Amino acid sequence: MEVYLTDKAFLSIVLSGIEVYRDEVLGVLLGYELVDGDLVVEYAIPYQTAKRSKREVEPIRHREIRVLNILDRLTNFHHLGYFHSHTEFRGERGVAELSEIDKESLDEGKIELIIAINDAKRKFSWRCSDTDIYGSIDKFHIHLACFKRESKGKIMRVQISCPYILGLSELYEL
């Protein structure tokens, strides 16, 4: 399985994470499933009223329900899951891994995209590993990873791809 991020989704995830850097960001992922089971994330919409701190973020449930209830009336895209950030705090670097709380809150069949944002010690171009995307921009090091809870409860790390940033990285020194 692979998760493709459009340029719009990538920009929203990265910019909303950098905007509140040192606090965490949380948002909803909207898109669709391809016939082969891969997912396309068209939009990533950050929650403006999420309860944020340096080490956790959670939605205000009645507001989240309000938003999710009207999605079908506004778009043909599906709610694929969520994204949130892990940031550097008190010398401890943010990691693109699920915390125990993240694992508990990941719903079956949904994805969770983690964006780890840290101070960049050096600049390097955007790359893909077997599963993740990482690179630096300005003074930030960004690492994106995606996870999915399977039907039997098992959580797997899934391949994430964003042709937009890899192509942009070739054209410009970010």
Side-chain angles (χ1 to χ4, degrees):
M1 177 189 171
E2 190 164 355
V3 172
Y4 297 95
L5 291 180
T6 65
D7 56 342
K8 299 176 295 283
F10 177 82
L11 289 171
S12 184
I13 291 166
V14 171
L15 292 176
S16 62
I18 288 172
E19 177 192 6
V20 297
Y21 181 58
R22 302 279 189 215
D23 285 336
E24 291 195 7
V25 69
L26 170 69
V28 64
L29 300 172
L30 304 176
Y32 53 92
E33 185 173 349
L34 299 172
V35 271
D36 62 1
D38 290 346
L39 299 176
V40 176
V41 178
E42 286 284 346
Y43 294 98
I45 302 169
Y47 284 144
Q48 297 180 54
T49 59
K51 297 178 201 168
R52 302 176 205 291
S53 73
K54 308 291 184 213
R55 283 292 179 220
E56 58 186 49
V57 62
E58 63 180 281
I60 297 172
R61 287 291 171 206
H62 72 277
R63 291 180 181 176
E64 177 185 34
I65 290 167
R66 182 186 317 154
V67 168
L68 294 177
N69 283 340
I70 65 166
L71 276 177
D72 290 340
R73 294 183 189 124
L74 291 175
T75 180
N76 289 328
F77 296 122
H78 301 287
H79 173 223
L80 301 176
Y82 298 92
F83 73 93
H84 76 277
S85 62
H86 291 168
T87 66
E88 189 168 320
F89 179 64
R90 293 187 179 161
E92 188 177 323
R93 294 181 64 76
V95 294
E97 298 289 340
L98 293 174
S99 70
E100 289 305 313
I101 293 171
D102 296 338
K103 290 175 186 176
E104 290 172 16
S105 65
L106 182 54
D107 293 330
E108 185 177 305
K110 298 293 185 188
I111 59 173
E112 184 76 26
L113 192 145
I114 305 290
I115 175 172
I117 307 173
N118 294 288
D119 294 331
K121 307 238 185 296
R122 61 185 171 84
K123 281 182 99 165
F124 56 93
S125 61
W126 286 85
R127 300 181 179 116
C128 288
S129 69
D130 289 342
T131 54
D132 302 354
I133 298 173
Y134 55 95
S136 65
I137 187 161
D138 196 24
K139 61 180 183 176
F140 301 101
H141 176 258
I142 308 291
H143 183 161
L144 295 124
C146 191
F147 303 86
K148 182 177 183 185
R149 182 176 299 277
E150 293 295 314
S151 59
K152 295 183 179 170
K154 182 181 178 191
I155 297 174
M156 61 182 267
R157 192 177 202 121
V158 297
Q159 184 177 357
I160 185 171
S161 176
C162 183
Y164 168 77
I165 193 60
L166 296 176
L168 195 64
S169 192
E170 293 294 320
L171 293 174
Y172 305 103
E173 185 176 319
L174 299 175

